[in-house]
Amino acid sequence: MIYSLYALLKVVSGISLHPILMLLENETDHTLLPSELATKLGSARATVSKLLVGLQKRGWVEKQHPQDDKRTVAIHLTAAGSSVLTQFLPANFKAVTTIFASFTVQEQQQFKGLLDKIKQGTQQLKSEAINYE
């Protein structure tokens, strides 16, 4: 659902900031494994890897090797990424509030239900695609 709202916000407002930053910000140590990001976004690992390259080039995330396993790569939100996110969130909140201002409580619940159904359908498609490989 996070990614769906991000896509809607991007279309309506033109704001382009990836939800990966928000996911990392919510972690205690601002760090997740790429596989964890993929799971939380409902995306393929390859897709997340491509997105991370762009975020890394901007200096918003960095790769880290945990001390207990040097083979593992973790993704960490940088101070620059946190700063960009802090500047973005008020605009994001205002945009989401504006988008949903005309929705009744019932319509908001219905919209969430529809997004949940889309998520379920997407997960089903992914499951079926894996079975064909």
Side-chain angles (χ1 to χ4, degrees):
M1 187 162 130
I2 291 171
Y3 198 76
S4 300
L5 289 176
Y6 161 75
L8 178 63
L9 179 62
K10 184 176 178 182
V11 168
V12 173
S13 68
I15 297 171
S16 177
L17 189 64
H18 208 278
I20 286 175
L21 300 180
M22 290 182 247
L23 291 171
L24 291 170
E25 181 69 26
N26 285 332
E27 294 298 315
T28 305
D29 59 355
H30 305 296
T31 304
L32 285 169
L33 299 174
S35 59
E36 294 171 324
L37 286 167
T39 300
K40 288 177 183 274
L41 289 170
S43 298
R45 286 192 210 179
T47 302
V48 170
S49 293
K50 290 176 188 175
L51 294 169
L52 289 172
V53 169
L55 295 174
Q56 192 174 6
K57 284 181 182 178
R58 291 179 173 171
W60 295 347
V61 300
E62 63 186 3
K63 292 181 180 179
Q64 293 183 341
H65 296 279
Q67 291 182 355
D68 58 336
D69 185 357
K70 296 294 182 188
R71 298 169 298 164
T72 303
V73 174
I75 304 302
H76 180 77
L77 181 68
T78 65
S82 185
S83 176
V84 166
L85 189 57
T86 300
Q87 294 169 9
F88 166 78
L89 287 177
N92 178 56
F93 181 76
K94 183 177 178 185
V96 170
T97 300
T98 300
I99 290 167
F100 291 104
S102 64
F103 280 41
T104 65
V105 172
Q106 182 181 2
E107 288 170 333
Q108 290 175 18
Q109 291 170 344
Q110 182 181 20
F111 181 69
K112 183 187 179 311
L114 292 170
L115 286 175
D116 288 343
K117 285 185 177 190
I118 290 170
K119 181 179 177 182
Q120 289 172 359
T122 302
Q123 289 171 340
Q124 181 64 34
L125 280 174
K126 286 181 186 176
S127 174
E128 290 173 6
I130 290 171
N131 292 333
Y132 289 120
E133 291 178 353

